[in-house]
Coordinates of all heavy atoms in Angstrom, one line a residue:
R93 N 0.6 11.6 -10.6 CA 1.2 13.0 -10.8 C 2.6 13.0 -10.2 O 3.5 13.7 -10.7 CB 0.3 14.0 -10.2 CG -1.0 14.2 -11.1 CD -2.2 14.9 -10.4 NE -1.7 16.1 -9.8 CZ -2.6 16.9 -9.0 NH1 -3.8 16.5 -8.7 NH2 -2.1 18.0 -8.5
C94 N 2.7 12.3 -9.0 CA 4.0 12.2 -8.3 C 5.1 11.7 -9.3 O 6.2 12.1 -9.2 CB 3.9 11.5 -7.1 SG 3.2 9.7 -7.2
T95 N 4.8 10.7 -10.0 CA 5.7 10.0 -10.9 C 6.1 10.9 -12.0 O 7.3 11.0 -12.3 CB 5.1 8.7 -11.4 OG1 5.0 7.8 -10.3 CG2 6.1 8.1 -12.4
E96 N 5.2 11.7 -12.5 CA 5.4 12.6 -13.6 C 6.4 13.7 -13.2 O 7.2 14.2 -14.0 CB 4.1 13.2 -14.2 CG 3.3 12.1 -14.9 CD 1.9 12.7 -15.3 OE1 1.5 13.7 -14.7 OE2 1.3 12.1 -16.0
I97 N 6.3 14.2 -11.9 CA 7.0 15.3 -11.6 C 8.4 14.9 -10.9 O 9.3 15.7 -10.7 CB 6.2 16.2 -10.5 CG1 6.8 17.6 -10.4 CG2 6.1 15.5 -9.2 CD1 5.9 18.6 -9.8
C98 N 8.6 13.7 -10.5 CA 9.8 13.3 -9.9 C 11.1 13.4 -10.7 O 11.1 12.8 -11.8 CB 9.7 11.8 -9.3 SG 11.1 11.3 -8.5
P99 N 12.0 14.2 -10.2 CA 13.2 14.4 -11.0 C 14.2 13.2 -11.0 O 15.1 13.1 -11.8 CB 13.9 15.6 -10.4 CG 13.4 15.6 -9.0 CD 12.0 15.1 -9.0
R100 N 14.0 12.4 -10.1 CA 14.9 11.2 -10.0 C 14.3 9.8 -10.5 O 14.9 8.8 -10.3 CB 15.4 11.1 -8.5 CG 16.0 12.3 -8.0 CD 17.4 12.4 -8.5 NE 18.3 11.3 -8.1 CZ 19.3 11.4 -7.2 NH1 19.6 12.5 -6.7 NH2 20.0 10.2 -7.1
R101 N 13.1 9.9 -11.0 CA 12.4 8.7 -11.5 C 12.2 7.7 -10.5 O 12.3 6.5 -10.7 CB 13.1 8.2 -12.8 CG 13.1 9.2 -13.9 CD 13.6 8.5 -15.2 NE 13.4 9.4 -16.3 CZ 14.4 9.8 -17.0 NH1 15.6 9.2 -16.9 NH2 14.2 10.5 -18.1
V102 N 11.9 8.1 -9.2 CA 11.6 7.2 -8.1 C 10.3 6.5 -8.3 O 10.2 5.4 -7.9 CB 11.7 8.0 -6.8 CG1 11.2 7.1 -5.6 CG2 13.0 8.6 -6.5
S103 N 9.3 7.1 -8.9 CA 8.0 6.7 -9.1 C 7.3 6.4 -7.8 O 7.0 5.3 -7.4 CB 8.0 5.3 -10.0 OG 6.7 5.0 -10.3
P104 N 7.0 7.5 -7.1 CA 6.4 7.3 -5.8 C 5.1 6.6 -5.8 O 4.7 5.9 -4.9 CB 6.2 8.9 -5.3 CG 7.2 9.6 -6.1 CD 7.3 8.9 -7.4
F105 N 4.3 6.7 -7.0 CA 3.2 5.9 -7.2 C 3.4 4.4 -7.0 O 2.7 3.6 -6.4 CB 2.6 6.2 -8.6 CG 1.7 5.1 -9.1 CD1 0.3 5.2 -8.7 CD2 2.1 4.3 -10.1 CE1 -0.6 4.3 -9.3 CE2 1.1 3.3 -10.5 CZ -0.2 3.4 -10.1
E106 N 4.5 4.0 -7.5 CA 5.0 2.5 -7.4 C 5.3 2.2 -6.0 O 5.1 1.1 -5.5 CB 6.1 2.2 -8.3 CG 5.7 2.2 -9.8 CD 4.7 1.1 -10.2 OE1 4.5 0.1 -9.4 OE2 4.0 1.4 -11.1
V107 N 5.9 3.2 -5.2 CA 6.2 3.0 -3.9 C 4.9 2.7 -3.0 O 4.9 1.7 -2.2 CB 6.9 4.1 -3.3 CG1 7.2 3.9 -1.7 CG2 8.3 4.3 -4.0
M108 N 3.9 3.5 -3.3 CA 2.6 3.4 -2.6 C 2.1 2.0 -2.9 O 1.6 1.3 -1.9 CB 1.6 4.4 -3.1 CG 1.7 5.7 -2.6 SD 1.3 5.7 -0.8 CE 1.6 7.4 -0.4
F109 N 2.1 1.5 -4.2 CA 1.5 0.2 -4.4 C 2.4 -0.9 -3.9 O 1.9 -1.9 -3.5 CB 1.2 0.2 -5.9 CG 0.0 0.7 -6.3 CD1 -0.2 2.1 -6.3 CD2 -1.2 0.0 -6.5 CE1 -1.4 2.7 -6.5 CE2 -2.4 0.6 -6.8 CZ -2.5 2.0 -6.9
A110 N 3.7 -0.7 -3.8 CA 4.6 -1.7 -3.2 C 4.3 -1.8 -1.7 O 4.3 -2.9 -1.2 CB 6.0 -1.3 -3.5
M111 N 4.0 -0.6 -1.1 CA 3.6 -0.7 0.3 C 2.3 -1.5 0.5 O 2.2 -2.2 1.4 CB 3.6 0.7 0.8 CG 3.3 0.8 2.3 SD 4.7 0.2 3.2 CE 3.9 -0.3 4.7
R112 N 1.4 -1.3 -0.4 CA 0.2 -2.0 -0.3 C 0.4 -3.6 -0.4 O -0.2 -4.4 0.3 CB -0.8 -1.7 -1.4 CG -1.5 -0.4 -1.4 CD -2.4 -0.2 -2.5 NE -3.1 1.1 -2.5 CZ -4.0 1.4 -3.5 NH1 -4.3 0.6 -4.4 NH2 -4.5 2.7 -3.4
R113 N 1.4 -3.9 -1.3 CA 1.7 -5.4 -1.4 C 2.3 -5.8 -0.1 O 2.0 -7.0 0.4 CB 2.7 -5.6 -2.6 CG 2.0 -5.3 -3.9 CD 3.0 -5.5 -5.0 NE 2.3 -5.0 -6.3 CZ 2.7 -3.8 -6.8 NH1 3.7 -3.1 -6.4 NH2 2.1 -3.4 -7.9
L114 N 3.2 -5.1 0.5 CA 3.8 -5.5 1.8 C 2.7 -5.6 2.8 O 2.7 -6.5 3.6 CB 4.9 -4.4 2.3 CG 5.4 -4.7 3.7 CD1 6.2 -6.0 3.7 CD2 6.3 -3.5 4.0
M115 N 1.7 -4.6 2.9 CA 0.7 -4.7 3.9 C -0.1 -6.0 3.7 O -0.6 -6.6 4.7 CB -0.2 -3.4 3.7 CG 0.5 -2.2 4.2 SD -0.3 -0.7 3.9 CE -1.2 -0.5 5.5
V116 N -0.4 -6.4 2.4 CA -1.1 -7.6 2.2 C -0.3 -8.8 2.7 O -0.8 -9.7 3.5 CB -1.4 -7.8 0.7 CG1 -1.9 -9.2 0.4 CG2 -2.5 -6.8 0.2
E117 N 1.0 -8.8 2.5 CA 1.8 -9.9 3.0 C 1.7 -10.0 4.5 O 1.8 -11.1 5.1 CB 3.3 -9.6 2.6 CG 3.6 -9.9 1.2 CD 3.9 -11.3 0.8 OE1 4.5 -12.0 1.7 OE2 3.4 -11.8 -0.2
E118 N 1.6 -8.8 5.1 CA 1.6 -8.8 6.6 C 0.2 -8.8 7.2 O 0.1 -8.6 8.4 CB 2.4 -7.5 7.1 CG 3.8 -7.4 6.7 CD 4.7 -8.2 7.5 OE1 4.3 -8.6 8.7 OE2 5.8 -8.6 7.0
F119 N -0.8 -9.0 6.4 CA -2.1 -9.0 6.8 C -2.5 -7.7 7.5 O -3.3 -7.6 8.5 CB -2.5 -10.2 7.7 CG -2.6 -11.5 7.0 CD1 -1.4 -12.3 7.0 CD2 -3.6 -11.9 6.2 CE1 -1.4 -13.5 6.3 CE2 -3.6 -13.1 5.5 CZ -2.5 -13.9 5.6
A120 N -2.0 -6.6 7.1 CA -2.3 -5.3 7.6 C -3.1 -4.4 6.7 O -2.7 -3.4 6.2 CB -0.9 -4.6 8.0
I121 N -4.3 -4.9 6.5 CA -5.3 -4.3 5.6 C -6.3 -3.7 6.3 O -7.1 -4.4 7.1 CB -5.6 -5.3 4.5 CG1 -4.5 -6.0 3.8 CG2 -6.6 -4.7 3.5 CD1 -4.9 -7.3 3.1
P122 N -6.7 -2.4 6.1 CA -7.8 -1.8 6.9 C -9.0 -2.5 6.4 O -9.3 -2.9 5.3 CB -7.8 -0.3 6.4 CG -6.3 -0.2 5.9 CD -5.9 -1.5 5.4
T123 N -10.1 -2.6 7.3 CA -11.3 -3.2 7.0 C -12.0 -2.5 5.9 O -12.7 -3.3 5.1 CB -12.2 -3.0 8.3 OG1 -11.6 -3.6 9.4 CG2 -13.6 -3.7 8.1
M124 N -12.0 -1.2 5.8 CA -12.6 -0.5 4.6 C -12.0 -1.0 3.3 O -12.6 -1.1 2.2 CB -12.4 1.0 4.8 CG -13.2 1.9 3.8 SD -13.1 3.6 4.3 CE -11.4 4.0 3.9
T125 N -10.6 -1.3 3.3 CA -10.0 -1.7 2.0 C -10.5 -3.1 1.7 O -10.7 -3.5 0.5 CB -8.5 -1.7 2.2 OG1 -8.1 -0.4 2.5 CG2 -7.8 -2.2 1.0
I126 N -10.6 -4.0 2.7 CA -11.1 -5.3 2.5 C -12.6 -5.2 1.9 O -12.9 -6.0 0.9 CB -11.1 -6.2 3.7 CG1 -9.7 -6.4 4.2 CG2 -11.9 -7.5 3.4 CD1 -9.5 -7.1 5.5
E127 N -13.4 -4.4 2.3 CA -14.7 -4.2 1.8 C -14.6 -3.7 0.4 O -15.4 -4.1 -0.5 CB -15.5 -3.2 2.7 CG -16.9 -2.9 2.2 CD -17.8 -4.2 2.2 OE1 -17.5 -5.1 2.9 OE2 -18.8 -4.2 1.4
G128 N -13.7 -2.8 0.1 CA -13.5 -2.4 -1.3 C -13.1 -3.4 -2.2 O -13.5 -3.5 -3.3
M129 N -12.3 -4.4 -1.7 CA -11.7 -5.5 -2.6 C -13.0 -6.4 -2.8 O -13.1 -7.0 -3.9 CB -10.6 -6.2 -1.9 CG -9.3 -5.5 -1.9 SD -8.0 -6.6 -1.2 CE -7.6 -5.7 0.2
R130 N -13.8 -6.6 -1.8 CA -15.0 -7.5 -1.9 C -15.9 -6.9 -3.1 O -16.4 -7.6 -3.9 CB -15.8 -7.7 -0.7 CG -16.8 -8.7 -0.7 CD -17.7 -8.7 0.6 NE -18.4 -7.4 0.8 CZ -19.4 -6.9 0.1 NH1 -19.9 -7.5 -0.8 NH2 -19.9 -5.7 0.4
T131 N -16.2 -5.6 -2.9 CA -17.0 -5.0 -3.9 C -16.4 -4.9 -5.4 O -17.1 -5.2 -6.3 CB -17.3 -3.5 -3.5 OG1 -17.8 -3.5 -2.2 CG2 -18.3 -2.8 -4.4
L132 N -15.0 -4.8 -5.3 CA -14.4 -5.0 -6.6 C -14.5 -6.3 -7.3 O -14.9 -6.4 -8.5 CB -12.9 -4.7 -6.5 CG -12.0 -4.8 -7.7 CD1 -12.3 -3.8 -8.7 CD2 -10.5 -4.7 -7.4
Y133 N -14.5 -7.4 -6.5 CA -14.7 -8.8 -7.0 C -16.1 -8.9 -7.4 O -16.5 -9.5 -8.4 CB -14.2 -9.8 -5.9 CG -14.5 -11.2 -6.4 CD1 -13.5 -11.7 -7.3 CD2 -15.6 -12.0 -6.2 CE1 -13.6 -13.0 -7.8 CE2 -15.7 -13.2 -6.7 CZ -14.7 -13.8 -7.4 OH -14.9 -15.0 -8.0
E134 N -17.1 -8.4 -6.7 CA -18.5 -8.7 -6.9 C -19.0 -7.8 -8.0 O -19.9 -8.3 -8.9 CB -19.3 -8.4 -5.6 CG -19.1 -9.5 -4.6 CD -19.8 -9.2 -3.2 OE1 -20.5 -8.1 -3.2 OE2 -19.8 -10.0 -2.3
K135 N -18.7 -6.5 -8.0 CA -19.3 -5.5 -8.9 C -18.3 -5.1 -10.1 O -18.7 -4.5 -11.1 CB -19.8 -4.4 -8.2 CG -20.8 -4.7 -7.1 CD -22.1 -5.1 -7.6 CE -23.1 -5.3 -6.5 NZ -24.4 -5.7 -7.0
G136 N -17.0 -5.2 -9.7 CA -16.0 -4.6 -10.7 C -15.6 -3.2 -10.4 O -14.8 -2.6 -11.1
H137 N -16.1 -2.7 -9.3 CA -15.7 -1.4 -8.8 C -15.5 -1.4 -7.3 O -16.2 -2.1 -6.6 CB -16.8 -0.3 -9.1 CG -17.1 -0.2 -10.5 ND1 -16.5 0.9 -11.2 CD2 -17.8 -0.8 -11.4 CE1 -16.9 0.9 -12.4 NE2 -17.7 -0.2 -12.6
A138 N -14.4 -0.8 -6.9 CA -14.1 -0.8 -5.4 C -15.2 0.0 -4.7 O -15.5 -0.3 -3.6 CB -12.7 -0.3 -5.2
V139 N -15.6 1.1 -5.3 CA -16.8 1.9 -4.8 C -17.9 1.7 -5.8 O -17.7 2.2 -6.9 CB -16.3 3.3 -4.6 CG1 -17.4 4.2 -4.1 CG2 -15.1 3.4 -3.8
F140 N -19.0 1.3 -5.2 CA -20.1 1.0 -6.1 C -21.4 1.6 -5.5 O -21.6 1.4 -4.2 CB -20.4 -0.5 -6.3 CG -21.6 -0.8 -7.1 CD1 -21.6 -0.6 -8.5 CD2 -22.7 -1.2 -6.5 CE1 -22.7 -1.0 -9.3 CE2 -23.8 -1.6 -7.3 CZ -23.8 -1.4 -8.6
F141 N -22.1 2.4 -6.2 CA -23.4 3.0 -5.7 C -24.5 2.4 -6.4 O -24.6 2.6 -7.7 CB -23.4 4.5 -5.9 CG -22.2 5.2 -5.3 CD1 -21.1 5.6 -6.0 CD2 -22.3 5.4 -3.8 CE1 -20.0 6.4 -5.3 CE2 -21.2 6.0 -3.2 CZ -20.1 6.5 -3.9
S142 N -25.3 1.7 -5.7 CA -26.4 1.0 -6.4 C -27.5 1.9 -7.1 O -28.0 1.5 -8.1 CB -27.1 0.0 -5.4 OG -27.6 0.8 -4.3
G143 N -27.7 3.0 -6.6 CA -28.6 3.9 -7.2 C -28.0 4.9 -8.3 O -28.6 5.8 -8.7
A144 N -26.8 4.6 -8.7 CA -26.1 5.6 -9.6 C -26.7 5.6 -10.9 O -26.6 6.7 -11.7 CB -24.6 5.2 -9.7
G145 N -27.4 4.6 -11.4 CA -27.9 4.6 -12.8 C -29.0 5.7 -13.0 O -29.0 6.3 -14.0
E146 N -29.8 5.9 -12.0 CA -30.8 6.9 -12.1 C -30.1 8.3 -12.1 O -30.5 9.2 -12.9 CB -31.8 6.9 -10.9 CG -32.8 5.7 -11.0 CD -33.6 5.8 -12.2 OE1 -34.2 7.0 -12.6 OE2 -33.8 4.8 -12.8
T147 N -29.1 8.5 -11.3 CA -28.5 9.8 -11.3 C -27.8 10.0 -12.7 O -27.8 11.1 -13.2 CB -27.4 9.8 -10.2 OG1 -28.1 9.6 -8.9 CG2 -26.7 11.1 -10.1
R148 N -27.1 9.0 -13.2 CA -26.4 9.1 -14.6 C -27.5 9.4 -15.6 O -27.2 10.3 -16.5 CB -25.8 7.8 -14.9 CG -24.5 7.5 -14.0 CD -24.0 6.2 -14.3 NE -23.5 6.0 -15.8 CZ -22.4 6.6 -16.3 NH1 -21.5 7.1 -15.4 NH2 -22.1 6.4 -17.5
K149 N -28.7 8.9 -15.6 CA -29.7 9.3 -16.6 C -30.1 10.6 -16.5 O -30.4 11.3 -17.5 CB -30.9 8.3 -16.5 CG -30.6 7.0 -17.1 CD -31.8 5.9 -17.0 CE -33.2 6.3 -16.5 NZ -34.2 5.2 -16.5

Side-chain angles (χ1 to χ4, degrees):
R93 292 163 48 189
C94 56
T95 297
E96 292 173 344
I97 200 169
C98 180
R100 301 289 297 248
R101 296 190 174 125
V102 172
S103 191
F105 163 79
E106 291 297 335
V107 175
M108 280 290 179
F109 278 73
M111 187 62 203
R112 286 183 183 181
R113 292 178 193 105
L114 175 61
M115 292 172 92
V116 167
E117 286 275 322
E118 298 285 336
F119 290 98
I121 306 168
T123 304
M124 189 170 67
T125 301
I126 294 172
E127 181 61 24
M129 287 188 245
R130 186 189 60 75
T131 307
L132 178 65
Y133 183 81
E134 291 175 0
K135 306 287 186 182
H137 293 264
V139 178
F140 177 76
F141 301 103
S142 59
E146 288 300 314
T147 305
R148 290 178 58 83
K149 281 181 12 183

